[in-house]
């Protein structure tokens, strides 16, 4: 596959132009572009610019409202709900984050549920903004069924991400953005096209039996694999608990699939959940800053089992990728490059 | 190993008498007994009655204050800190839960950090109480270093549990209580005494290399194992983030070890964190109840890969064990049985 490398500024501009041509509102375009640039810069390519053609399609076909009117309903000193009016998930989730940060600044904590939303890309894009505001952040969503339950024979949960982030003094945030499966579904497609075997314990065949054959794999296995996948499956349930059950939104098996369906015109009714906590209402901002500094210093100084691969904190790899890509450009797959006119 | 089976009431009485003889306050005794009974009834034997001799020892030797005066400092409409006065972790964590539930009833959410605490047993004991109050619960703690980082050659994080719970109408709560390692350390000891091989990818030798030899294993590997343990290691970091960094408490590598140290007189300065959320401030109590009912029905009706093992929701196994043990008694290891006078 010939990747094409594009400078970050040019990619940002290309995303803005492509989204703008759909008639989406300026704030919708800005939010989707921002979230895709987060993912593309940090190396989360599955959720970056690759999805722009999909977002343009669903904006044009009625699934996603290009000009939504979001509404915020405050339900207490620290809680709120955002109605996304079926707009782009990025817009809805960034709005939820704004509200959560405002609530946390005011009351010490902000917990915000979002409804009537759509695919929001990488969960880390939202947790990160909370950390950049000096707060501890959590963001999650659920999605359509592609991951087996532990011992299950059919896809049940989505890859349901959990993202946490925390401020680190003058440095980049501690940032965890993980699917609750071991790998994403498009990794299976990549192994298929490469003709190579999957890692052990990450996918199953149509009967729910673990398989390393990419061609035979029809669903993912939860984190922990055949031995300990009850933990990954339960963590997928945590995403469903916060994003769907707490907000009153769609359950994983009830979603219209993101892709591979003829229905691109019915809104998917997706829920999200974000949380922001102010260290000043707990052990205090100074103790937090000193603690996380000491923690990360100890972690990074910890000896590695393999001398060639240093021990990393969550986010270390991603921020390094960002620095490299800001300097050298962002690799794009040929289809996306052509879609954006970079062919 | 000859286990001795004791009726739940008799065990409860035995725990109360043993703890009472240390001079611990009545509320300390009641809290530790309650948390141990939770674990022993639900089959979390690593954190149940087995620990009573340890708790009696640390109450007698100065590490844990047998007559603490806890104090609660409210820091906002939805936040508080509990100072544990170096008392038993069970007492401190149940107090934190009480405060979080009160805050959530009042404001919609309650987030409570605890400091100057000690080992609190099973994290699920606390998340469960929040769910039994009709709220969504989260509880976590960090602990002393026994789990390698991903690619690390030395123990760094504790087994750092994450516990989540949610109310289920008239049924028992949805309940997840998981270590962020694949197995607990005492499972390695069990495999050693049985002379059998460990499962793949759960433990490492002194150089940090994965090993299946129980005798060679000196540390645990994070959930996800050699392939995807960066996720388990990051989840261990989530426990440290909430329980230690946010509260200003002890980092995993800085703890006086729970056992295997001569120092049983210095308080360990352990932190905890609990969160309670009221569905009524999000999608509403009725939508939540309907949603979780539908979710669990779909989950339990989902086909199993192996016809003999049904698909389970988090907590299903534990509540079934509780029913069985309430009917037939609780198995105790011989040392604990002898300590409690059941020999």
């Amino acid at each position: 596959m010939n990747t094409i490398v594009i400078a970050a500024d040019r990619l940002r501009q290309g995303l803005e132009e492509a989204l703008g041509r759909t008639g989406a509102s300026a704030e919708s375009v800005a939010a989707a572009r921002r979230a895709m640039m987060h993912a593309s810069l940090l190396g989360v390519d599955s959720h970056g610019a690759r999805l722009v053609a999909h977002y343009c399609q669903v904006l044009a076909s009625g699934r996603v409202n290009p000009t939504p009117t979001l509404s915020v309903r405050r339900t207490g000193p620290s809680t709120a709900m955002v109605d996304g009016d079926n707009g782009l998930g990025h817009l809805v989730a960034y709005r939820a984050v704004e509200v959560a940060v405002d609530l946390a600044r005011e009351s010490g904590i902000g917990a915000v549920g979002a409804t009537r939303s759509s695919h929001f890309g990488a969960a880390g894009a939202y947790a990160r903004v909370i950390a950049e505001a000096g707060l501890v952040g959590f963001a999650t969503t659920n999605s359509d069924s592609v991951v087996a339950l532990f011992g299950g024979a059919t896809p049940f949960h989505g890859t349901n991400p959990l993202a946490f982030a925390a401020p680190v003094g003058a440095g980049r945030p501690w940032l965890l953005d993980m699917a609750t499966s071991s790998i994403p579904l498009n990794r299976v497609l990549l192994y298929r096209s490469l003709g190579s075997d999957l890692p052990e314990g990450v996918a199953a065949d149509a009967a729910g039996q673990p398989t390393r054959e990419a061609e035979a794999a029809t669903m993912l296995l939860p984190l922990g694999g055949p031995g300990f996948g009850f933990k990954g499956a339960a963590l997928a349930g945590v995403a469903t608990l916060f994003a769907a059950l707490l907000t009153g939104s769609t359950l994983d098996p009830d979603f219209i699939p993101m892709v591979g369906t003829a229905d691109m015109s019915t809104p998917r009714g997706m829920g999200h959940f974000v949380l922001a906590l102010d260290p000043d209402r707990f052990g205090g901002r100074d103790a937090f800053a000193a603690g996380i500094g000491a923690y990360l210093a100890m972690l990074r100084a910890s000896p590695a089992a393999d001398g060639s691969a240093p021990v990393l904190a969550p986010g270390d790899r991603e921020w390094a990728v960002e620095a490299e890509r800001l300097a050298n450009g962002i690799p794009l797959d040929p289809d996306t490059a052509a879609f954006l006119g970079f062919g």
Side-chain angles (χ1 to χ4, degrees), chain A residues 97-283:
Chain A
V97 162
E98 271 175 35
V99 174
V101 167
D102 284 349
L103 290 172
R105 289 234 165 89
E106 193 179 310
S107 77
I109 183 168
V112 180
T115 59
R116 298 211 302 150
S117 186
S118 62
H119 192 264
F120 75 10
Y126 313 101
R128 166 210 182 150
V129 174
I130 299 172
E132 288 170 343
L135 308 168
V136 172
F138 168 54
T140 191
T141 194
N142 66 325
S143 52
D144 44 303
S145 302
V146 292
V147 185
L149 291 163
F150 182 65
T154 192
F156 188 84
H157 286 119
T159 48
N160 293 8
L162 302 174
F164 292 90
V168 181
R172 292 307 198 110
W174 182 99
L175 175 62
L176 165 64
D177 180 1
M178 59 171 266
T180 48
S181 53
S182 292
I183 62 170
L185 193 62
N186 63 10
R187 196 81 58 85
V188 174
L189 307 180
L190 178 64
Y191 277 84
R192 273 188 205 163
S193 67
L194 296 173
S196 55
D197 277 353
L198 291 164
E200 200 145 4
V202 305
D205 64 20
Q209 299 301 325
T211 182
R212 298 192 58 189
E213 288 176 48
E215 289 293 340
T218 63
M219 64 191 98
L220 301 172
L221 290 175
L223 176 66
F228 301 95
F230 56 93
K231 299 194 180 194
L235 290 169
V238 169
T240 301
L241 172 61
F242 281 89
L245 297 174
L246 205 50
T247 67
S249 297
T250 308
L251 298 172
D252 311 35
D254 293 336
F255 274 119
I256 297 166
M258 180 179 177
V259 295
T261 172
D263 183 356
M264 298 303 265
S265 59
T266 308
R268 298 175 75 210
M270 192 166 263
H272 317 305
F273 181 86
V274 302
L275 182 71
L277 301 105
D278 185 348
D280 259 353
R281 306 299 179 114
F282 298 96

Side-chain angles (χ1 to χ4, degrees), chain A residues 48-96:
Chain A
R50 189 182 76 83
L51 293 175
V52 65
H54 172 77
Y55 295 133
C56 289
Q57 180 187 14
V58 294
L59 283 164
S61 63
R63 174 187 284 184
V64 172
N65 181 353
T67 54
T69 303
L70 275 57
S71 60
V72 177
R73 181 168 59 92
R74 183 145 175 191
T75 61
S78 309
T79 56
M81 289 291 288
V82 173
D83 178 318
D85 194 19
N86 300 314
L88 282 169
H90 322 87
L91 180 69
V92 182
Y94 280 124
R95 182 68 57 84

